[in-house]
Amino acid sequence: MAVYSIKDLEKISGIKAHTIRIWERRYGLVEPKRTATNIRYYSDADLKKLLNISILNQNGFKISKIAELDDYQLRDRVLDLCVDARNSGVQIESLMVSMLELDERKFLNVLSGTIIKYGFEDTLEKVLFPFLDRIGVLWQAGTINPSQEHFISNLIRQKLIVAIDNEMQNISVNGPRITFFLPEGELHEIGLLFYNLMARKEGLDVVYLGQSVPLGDLKVVNQARPADAFFVSFVSAREKEEMEKMFQNLRDVFPDIPFMVNGLQIRELQPKLPSDFTVVSSIRTFKESIRLLKYSE
């Protein structure tokens, strides 16, 4: 069983520690245990309950009314909201609970309902990417168990691979070639898989290399199948200087090929980019980059 501090609860749920303490005193919504030195700590069950409370509270339920619900009633109200809510924050919070419970069925129900409502692309961009960014930060900080992050990431990865496989049956390749890869040591490929799918939908000739590709291997592949552009993503924690050096190495080895870069670390660190490196922050900016690539042919 995981153990959480009140600051952990604040980071994961978005509810201020001060508010959590008030809810404890007034309504007994969670009941922390205490260490020998009288410091509060919380269990997985406390965290799941608080996330469910947060979902209801964000959607207009008064805390005094939430406090009257037992755990089963609380869960049922949240499940009803997950199906009907328009606020993507509800889906994100619900996915957090699914991750903590390692509940595949609940995760897939939330995901399927969101896809039906918003479509596949919007679900990934507006719900799953913010969710993955959030758990990625928590995982790196040691707040959540890596197995929980891997459980959810693999479910999303499976969905993307099925979508990519379906797309490969239907499209005709008539666009420029783009090579997708993750740099050496980088294993988080959800974003890379998603933009691989988008590239195939746009009719690009895709070479997908996947995780942790050494620079030497990238050179060999490019000699066999020269790229018109590269796409690379950065999620794992890195130093800004290390990333900038890596970019310069890529530019030196491939001086005339444009790069599209994406990922949490690009947004967080905002590294200095060499010429002809473009930050892809959304589907819209990706499609704009593709149009420029097609136009330059």
Side-chain angles (χ1 to χ4, degrees):
M1 183 183 72
V3 172
Y4 305 92
S5 70
I6 196 165
K7 283 297 181 183
D8 290 335
L9 294 192
E10 182 178 77
K11 284 189 290 185
I12 297 173
S13 70
I15 302 169
K16 296 293 185 185
H18 175 68
T19 302
I20 295 171
R21 292 190 186 99
I22 290 174
W23 290 356
E24 286 175 14
R25 290 197 300 269
R26 289 186 183 175
Y27 305 108
L29 288 175
V30 287
E31 298 180 5
K33 296 177 176 60
R34 292 184 179 269
T35 67
T37 54
N38 206 35
I39 296 173
R40 285 180 175 87
Y41 68 93
Y42 301 81
S43 67
D44 280 330
D46 295 325
L47 175 55
K48 293 168 196 171
K49 185 173 183 179
L50 195 63
L51 284 167
N52 283 330
I53 290 168
S54 175
I55 292 169
L56 294 184
N57 189 233
Q58 287 178 45
N59 284 272
F61 287 76
K62 293 182 178 179
I63 291 298
S64 58
K65 296 298 182 183
I66 296 173
E68 296 172 0
L69 303 175
D70 63 30
D71 289 344
Y72 294 105
Q73 292 170 326
L74 182 63
R75 183 185 174 98
D76 287 345
R77 294 288 180 88
V78 169
L79 288 174
D80 290 341
L81 268 178
C82 291
V83 175
D84 298 328
R86 296 177 181 272
N87 181 358
S88 63
V90 172
Q91 279 77 24
I92 293 171
E93 298 286 0
S94 299
L95 293 176
M96 288 291 293
V97 175
S98 301
M99 177 192 69
L100 292 166
E101 294 178 342
L102 300 178
D103 189 334
E104 180 174 339
R105 187 171 67 174
K106 181 175 182 178
F107 170 82
L108 293 175
N109 285 343
V110 173
L111 183 60
S112 298
T114 309
I115 290 172
I116 290 169
K117 185 174 288 291
Y118 299 115
F120 189 78
E121 292 182 20
D122 278 356
T123 294
L124 262 78
E125 188 167 40
K126 296 177 181 178
V127 176
L128 285 180
F129 283 173
F131 165 70
L132 288 168
D133 283 351
R134 186 168 168 187
I135 66 173
V137 170
L138 295 172
W139 175 69
Q140 289 173 16
T143 302
I144 61 173
N145 190 306
S147 64
Q148 295 168 323
E149 190 263 351
H150 294 161
F151 168 76
I152 285 293
S153 295
N154 283 328
L155 288 177
I156 298 169
R157 187 174 180 275
Q158 290 168 20
K159 284 279 188 183
L160 280 167
I161 288 172
V162 169
I164 291 165
D165 186 58
N166 290 337
E167 196 64 36
M168 290 172 70
Q169 312 298 322
N170 302 321
I171 64 169
S172 59
V173 174
N174 54 24
R177 179 177 295 142
I178 181 167
T179 296
F180 287 81
F181 73 99
L182 296 179
E184 202 163 5
E186 179 66 68
L187 302 176
H188 295 80
E189 64 175 332
I190 299 295
L192 200 74
L193 282 168
F194 174 70
Y195 283 106
N196 165 25
L197 173 62
M198 293 298 101
R200 294 180 188 277
K201 284 178 175 289
E202 294 292 317
L204 272 66
D205 182 4
V206 172
V207 176
Y208 187 84
L209 301 182
Q211 303 171 331
S212 193
V213 178
L215 183 56
D217 291 358
L218 189 62
K219 290 167 64 177
V220 170
V221 170
N222 199 62
Q223 287 168 0
R225 298 196 69 192
D228 296 298
F230 289 109
F231 189 108
V232 58
S233 185
F234 296 85
V235 176
S236 298
R238 296 174 183 268
E239 296 293 332
K240 183 177 180 180
E241 293 77 11
E242 174 195 359
M243 189 177 292
E244 290 174 344
K245 183 178 179 180
M246 185 185 302
F247 289 153
Q248 192 55 55
N249 287 341
L250 289 168
R251 174 48 67 230
D252 292 342
V253 174
F254 305 106
D256 302 317
I257 304 177
F259 277 78
M260 303 178 199
V261 296
N262 163 266
L264 175 64
Q265 295 305 319
I266 299 293
R267 294 194 298 277
E268 292 287 319
L269 299 179
Q270 297 185 358
K272 182 179 179 181
L273 299 175
S275 61
D276 218 4
F277 272 59
T278 302
V279 174
V280 172
S281 57
S282 65
I283 295 172
R284 180 181 59 79
T285 56
F286 181 60
K287 289 183 176 179
E288 286 173 357
S289 297
I290 288 175
R291 280 196 291 269
L292 291 173
L293 197 60
K294 288 179 176 178
Y295 183 75
S296 65
E297 280 194 304

